[in-house]
Amino acid sequence: MQILQDKNTEIISQIIDKTVIDAMESFISDADLNSVSSAALAIAGVFGNERDFSWLINDDESLKENAEKKLISSFHNNLQLLVQKTWVEKSDEALKEQVLERLNRCCEDVKAIDYVKSYESFNTVLHDVVYLMFGSQAKKDDFSEYALRIDPGFGIFWWYLQNLPQTCTWESYKIRLALLLGMFFLANY
């Protein structure tokens, strides 16, 4: 799978370094553990402090486990608050409640180290949260460009999310990193 190449590539390349675009390509297409880890660190540098993310791929299992628990908790609390505080149309109130319930389940699955099981539902929850935040604008063809222009950081996150496959057959380690990268951005958003 190749990363999305569209009219926003020019805008993206003005916001982030080519090495991050290359890292995204590598993250999506490589299977090698070291390549995927290096790519994840490069992407994490755009989402926040690369050093903070490095704790999640540390060789020390205890440090890695503690960093992951802290990230999941921060992500859960931040996203839950974001969804609760987002004003939605009356027709979307049920979706808002469903998203909160699915968010809880996703975080529980990740805590239980069931990354493969949580991947698709996590991806869906994030897309639904973006819909709740931006309404029908999020479904338009030009939403990527819109997101990049109104908030470049969020636009890069959306670019990341759009490049992830809806379903995947990746190894658990790579799925874990994909989930944690999404959490890492949203825990600090």
Side-chain angles (χ1 to χ4, degrees):
M1 177 181 188
Q2 196 166 357
I3 64 170
L4 296 174
Q5 298 292 323
D6 59 16
K7 62 185 176 185
N8 298 314
T9 303
E10 184 178 323
I11 299 169
I12 290 168
S13 66
Q14 293 172 7
I15 299 170
I16 60 174
D17 193 76
K18 183 175 177 352
T19 58
V20 178
I21 295 170
D22 293 343
M24 186 66 190
E25 177 87 35
S26 177
F27 186 81
I28 297 297
S29 61
D30 290 352
D32 176 68
L33 182 76
N34 291 327
S35 295
V36 170
S37 295
S38 294
L41 280 173
I43 296 165
V46 177
F47 290 169
N49 185 335
E50 185 179 319
R51 188 172 144 252
D52 290 344
F53 191 81
S54 70
W55 290 106
L56 296 162
I57 56 175
N58 194 300
D59 289 335
D60 183 322
E61 288 299 318
S62 175
L63 290 175
K64 183 168 46 177
E65 186 177 310
N66 287 336
E68 188 170 319
K69 284 180 183 176
K70 183 178 177 182
L71 176 64
I72 293 167
S73 177
S74 294
F75 162 77
H76 180 260
N77 293 340
N78 216 27
L79 201 59
Q80 189 174 45
L81 184 62
L82 180 68
V83 171
Q84 288 171 345
K85 298 293 181 188
T86 298
W87 181 88
V88 296
E89 298 287 339
K90 190 163 186 76
S91 60
D92 290 329
E93 287 177 0
L95 175 62
K96 185 176 178 176
E97 291 304 315
Q98 291 170 5
V99 166
L100 289 169
E101 289 174 26
R102 287 185 287 138
L103 172 64
N104 291 336
R105 280 195 307 270
C106 285
C107 288
E108 290 303 317
D109 288 343
V110 174
K111 283 180 193 174
I113 311 176
D114 197 345
Y115 307 115
V116 176
K117 178 181 177 186
S118 59
Y119 179 83
E120 286 181 43
S121 58
F122 179 81
N123 206 335
T124 302
V125 164
L126 294 185
H127 279 85
D128 286 346
V129 168
V130 172
Y131 171 78
L132 290 173
M133 290 171 61
F134 293 95
S136 61
Q137 178 69 38
K139 303 278 186 189
K140 293 183 179 177
D141 291 339
D142 66 346
F143 180 69
S144 294
E145 182 178 356
Y146 174 79
L148 284 164
R149 293 195 187 283
I150 63 162
D151 182 348
F154 181 81
I156 296 302
F157 171 72
W158 182 249
W159 170 75
Y160 167 78
L161 192 58
Q162 291 301 108
N163 276 291
L164 293 179
Q166 291 298 311
T167 59
C168 69
T169 57
W170 291 340
E171 294 293 322
S172 180
Y173 179 81
K174 187 172 180 175
I175 291 174
R176 175 183 177 266
L177 289 180
L179 295 172
L180 295 178
L181 277 167
M183 289 181 176
F184 187 68
F185 175 80
L186 290 167
N188 299 300
Y189 186 64

